[in-house]
Amino acid sequence: MIIVGIDTGGTFTDLVLWRDGSIRTHKVLSTPAAPEQAILHGIAELGLDPVGLNVIHGSTVATNAVLEGKGVRTLYVANRGLGDLLTIGRQARPDLYDLQPPARLPPVPSELCVETGGRLGADGRWVEPLTAADLDALKATLARLAPKSVAINLLFSYLDDSAERALEDAMPEGLFVARSSEVLPLVGEYERGIATWINARIGPIVARYIGRLADGLSGARVSVMQSSGEAVTANQAARHTARLLLSGPAGGLAGAAFAAAQTGCPRLLTFDMGGTSTDVAVVDGEPRLTTDGHIAGFPVALPMVDMHTIGAGGGSIARLDAGGMLLVGPESAGADPGPACYDRGGREATVTDANLVLGRLDPNGFLGGRMRLNPDAAHAALERLGRALGLSAEEAALGVIRLADEHMARALRVISVQRGLDPRDFILTSFGGAGALHVCALAEALGMTRALVPVHAGVLSALGMLVTPAGRTLTRTRLGLLAEAGDAEIEAALVALAESGIAELGQEGVARAALRVERSLDLRYRGQSHTLNLHWAGVEDTAAAFHAQHRDRYGHRLDLPVELVNLRVRVRGPIPDLALPSIGASGRGGPTGSSTAYGCPTPVACWTREDLGQGHELVGPAIIADALATTWLAPGWRADLDAVGNLMLQRAVGRKP
């Protein structure tokens, strides 16, 4: 069996090849203008024939299109009187005390908002049926405005999708159409409308990208990671692009959970630090999901891994603001020109340049020696920054690192402390190309004493693709009091919802007997707006679990009826049976050299991970490099490798952060 997991990042594209029980990793510079080119280039460098290849990849095409405001000309179709729904939104102010909030353009220009009939009431009865005249008027509007895609969002379409289907059938052949009743059949017309509009606006872009990739990998089976952590075939992914917004990060969490499970470490605080951004999350056995995500300021109510993202990465640019204060990120040097030390024309100081100036990176060992860094270029960039601050290049570099660390520590507190979780109960797990350079400092900032740098940490998101099952996460609104619904009615509705996912996976060749089905309900007290998600265990037991979870989350329970809002079903195929190979007890020797690290009185030994055998303890300060990433083992920390090559870090007892 030959499987290739691929993660396309802003700076690098990572590939992990699994063949006959062995793993091979590879990294190439990304090609943002045409992401498939880096993938095809990497597969060619691995010497692989696409025919018969199983490719699972995480794509940033959908994410970048939304973040950069790119998309095709999209017509938004709503009921009469509701054409400006997406512009009005929830009337929520992101910054409550900002008296002069910046003006924001409406998602859809008014000339592209079209109103029609087909309006349902909350009881499922027609308030204004869709007529032939409505369809004729829509066809005329399409001919006049010539959109590239259409988003249809009618009120209460999750109760009856016949009007939306009739509108879709009236569209010209070849036009990309997204229906809210298919994209997100849930209560909440604004959130449902945003998801549908995003799906329609970026759908043609993602479809073209997937088409180019499929053409380049003719004969291969191509799947794409969804934001919820399951793989979907490429042709299905092209129809449901809004489900791909956290495609790459979901792979990282899957990889972290897989690597940690090999060592018996189920509770993790993770941070994935790449060249452009850092994603932080909690993994408690498996990644948590949320339906309250946001991207580019828009709510995304589709299931996705629960994480927090900030603009701090290895390529984050350090600069001074108008008042002379040091800033790091969110702007990034990316892959082209990249940090100054890449010697590709970049002149601005970045986090990677700062680590190199501080002696925490071996310029000859970057990417396993395949890419040499230019220390002089990095020093010159930090010297220019330091001159403006009245500091030396090394002092400026230390300031850049400390500021970047504080950005990431704050993000880790958001997903732990602010949610009632004590970071000390978890193991800090770093991955991504730049994460292990900062793991000790972040652990100290959070009062943590243990950290983990997984094997293949520099390509862990790509590794996560290999252990991702095919699957679907399905949702549907079913409003009513829980007690009045009854076990039989809810059970039947959940079975029907699961069957649609089982049928889709059957078309992908996944046998019914191999599928796992998880069922849950979104519940709230009558009169509340927000819900809690509970595993389905019958009406009585599920209601009791809701009361208990509400008390744990909010400190109280209410003497009110429990209301059922949404049904949720997760259908997943078998997890690929892969295991990390054992590294053996003996390493290959001693350090490969030394580095003069700023703040350390003596030269710091440079090791490769392969030089350390299982159980070989190393005391910081030290630099540990592998083919894809570098770990800075700070003073006061020690490290050893476990049986499969994960680097286990422990802070010395009594050392203060």
Side-chain angles (χ1 to χ4, degrees):
M1 177 173 60
I2 303 177
I3 312 175
V4 181
I6 302 171
D7 175 45
T8 302
T11 305
F12 288 101
T13 293
D14 304 331
L15 300 93
V16 176
L17 168 65
W18 174 273
R19 176 160 47 189
D20 300 327
S22 64
I23 287 179
R24 182 182 172 190
T25 61
H26 193 55
K27 205 180 256 282
V28 296
L29 285 171
S30 293
T31 51
E36 74 280 358
Q37 292 300 319
I39 294 175
L40 299 176
H41 182 59
I43 287 178
E45 288 189 351
L46 286 171
L48 298 174
D49 182 353
V51 177
L53 204 60
N54 189 356
V55 176
I56 307 172
H57 88 296
S59 169
T60 57
V61 173
T63 313
N64 292 341
V66 176
L67 291 175
E68 296 169 10
K70 296 178 180 178
V72 302
R73 181 177 171 86
T74 302
L75 189 73
Y76 177 72
V77 181
N79 289 120
R80 289 188 177 89
L82 294 164
D84 53 1
L85 171 68
L86 300 190
T87 300
I88 296 173
R90 291 288 181 190
Q91 289 289 284
R93 293 165 58 182
D95 297 303
L96 186 60
Y97 298 105
D98 186 354
L99 300 181
Q100 294 179 313
R104 181 171 181 173
L105 294 175
V108 185
S110 58
E111 64 271 17
L112 291 176
C113 295
V114 176
E115 299 179 359
T116 188
R119 178 168 180 168
L120 283 168
D123 58 359
R125 298 179 182 177
W126 292 108
V127 175
E128 183 186 8
L130 184 68
T131 65
D134 291 327
L135 295 176
D136 290 340
L138 179 60
K139 292 175 183 178
T141 300
L142 287 168
R144 177 172 55 86
L145 295 176
K148 299 298 183 183
S149 69
V150 176
I152 305 172
N153 180 35
L154 304 184
L155 283 183
F156 304 107
S157 60
Y158 56 86
L159 295 175
D160 183 344
D161 65 356
S162 60
E164 287 198 347
R165 286 183 178 275
L167 290 169
E168 182 181 28
D169 292 341
M171 302 294 170
E173 188 74 24
L175 186 64
F176 190 98
V177 180
R179 292 185 288 108
S180 71
S181 52
E182 179 184 17
V183 174
L184 188 66
L186 297 183
V187 65
E189 63 276 10
Y190 172 61
E191 290 77 12
R192 189 171 68 247
I194 286 291
T196 306
W197 167 70
I198 288 176
N199 200 89
R201 190 164 186 253
I202 66 175
I205 294 175
V206 176
R208 288 195 295 268
Y209 158 71
I210 289 177
R212 295 193 303 268
L213 180 62
D215 290 343
L217 295 175
S218 180
R221 174 187 171 89
V222 180
S223 300
V224 184
M225 172 71 91
Q226 299 178 97
S227 301
S228 54
E230 302 103 7
V232 62
T233 56
N235 61 331
Q236 286 285 331
R239 285 287 308 158
H240 300 283
T241 53
R243 294 182 177 271
L244 309 179
L245 295 175
L246 290 184
S247 177
L253 295 186
F258 171 70
Q262 308 280 312
T263 60
C265 303
R267 306 193 76 195
L268 312 174
L269 276 186
T270 71
F271 77 102
D272 175 6
M273 185 179 181
T276 305
S277 62
T278 295
D279 303 314
V280 299
V282 175
V283 175
D284 200 349
E286 64 178 8
R288 299 182 177 188
L289 298 184
T290 182
T291 55
D292 294 322
H294 286 77
I295 184 167
F298 297 114
V300 181
L302 291 160
M304 59 175 57
V305 289
D306 189 5
M307 63 171 42
H308 183 63
T309 301
I310 60 169
S316 292
I317 294 171
R319 67 195 188 285
L320 303 185
D321 67 9
M325 295 293 289
L326 179 63
L327 300 176
V328 177
E331 292 81 4
S332 173
D336 188 13
C341 61
Y342 281 14
D343 244 1
R344 295 168 61 91
R347 287 179 49 82
E348 295 181 284
T350 68
V351 173
T352 297
D353 294 313
N355 275 309
L356 183 58
V357 167
L358 292 176
R360 300 178 182 183
L361 273 173
D362 179 2
N364 299 312
F366 193 68
L367 297 185
R370 291 188 294 111
M371 181 176 178
R372 191 183 186 283
L373 303 180
N374 185 339
D376 294 335
H379 194 277
L382 267 302
E383 193 171 47
R384 287 191 293 271
L385 182 67
R387 192 178 303 121
L389 290 166
L391 302 172
S392 68
E394 290 77 13
E395 289 169 333
L398 187 60
V400 169
I401 296 301
R402 286 177 173 171
L403 190 53
D405 286 345
E406 181 53 37
H407 287 328
M408 291 183 285
R410 187 185 308 162
L412 286 162
R413 292 187 190 101
V414 167
I415 55 96
S416 59
V417 177
Q418 291 187 15
R419 300 184 183 184
L421 301 175
D422 188 341
R424 294 171 296 183
D425 296 334
F426 295 80
I427 295 176
L428 184 62
T429 303
S430 74
F431 52 99
L437 287 165
H438 301 260
V439 64
C440 293
L442 293 179
E444 291 184 4
L446 295 167
M448 304 171 74
T449 59
R450 296 181 298 164
L452 168 67
V453 183
V455 63
H456 309 306
V459 292
L460 199 67
S461 292
L463 177 63
M465 307 297 170
L466 299 181
V467 293
T468 296
R472 299 290 188 276
T473 298
L474 307 166
T475 56
R476 183 166 294 277
T477 288
R478 198 283 186 200
L479 283 170
L481 294 180
L482 180 64
E484 293 179 358
D487 286 359
E489 183 177 337
I490 295 175
E491 187 73 28
L494 288 169
V495 168
L497 188 58
E499 281 299 322
S500 62
I502 292 171
E504 286 188 13
L505 290 171
Q507 294 174 1
E508 297 179 11
V510 184
R512 176 185 286 264
L515 295 174
R516 296 167 295 146
V517 180
E518 302 168 14
R519 305 180 300 173
S520 63
L521 309 180
D522 288 346
L523 304 176
R524 66 189 180 193
Y525 286 118
R526 186 170 61 185
Q528 288 183 327
S529 297
H530 296 283
T531 63
L532 295 175
N533 183 256
L534 281 301
H535 171 72
W536 167 243
V539 168
E540 186 175 341
D541 290 344
T542 305
F546 169 77
H547 290 302
Q549 188 176 130
H550 193 281
R551 183 182 61 247
D552 292 343
R553 178 75 61 88
Y554 303 112
H556 66 278
R557 58 171 289 174
L558 300 175
D559 188 21
L560 290 173
V562 178
E563 187 175 35
L564 168 61
V565 180
N566 299 316
L567 308 171
R568 297 191 183 274
V569 171
R570 196 176 191 187
V571 184
R572 290 188 285 180
I575 296 175
D577 186 18
L578 306 180
L580 295 172
S582 175
I583 63 169
S586 60
R588 299 189 309 196
T592 58
S594 63
S595 173
T596 301
Y598 182 74
C600 296
T602 58
V604 173
C606 298
W607 296 74
T608 66
R609 194 185 287 234
E610 293 78 9
D611 292 328
L612 300 173
Q614 180 184 349
H616 183 156
E617 184 173 277
L618 197 62
V619 177
I623 295 172
I624 307 168
D626 58 38
L628 302 164
T630 298
T631 300
W632 166 248
L633 186 65
W637 285 79
R638 64 177 185 268
D640 62 78
L641 291 184
D642 68 7
V644 296
N646 293 316
L647 196 60
M648 312 296 294
L649 310 184
Q650 183 81 32
R651 196 172 81 199
V653 176
R655 175 175 167 81
K656 300 296 183 182

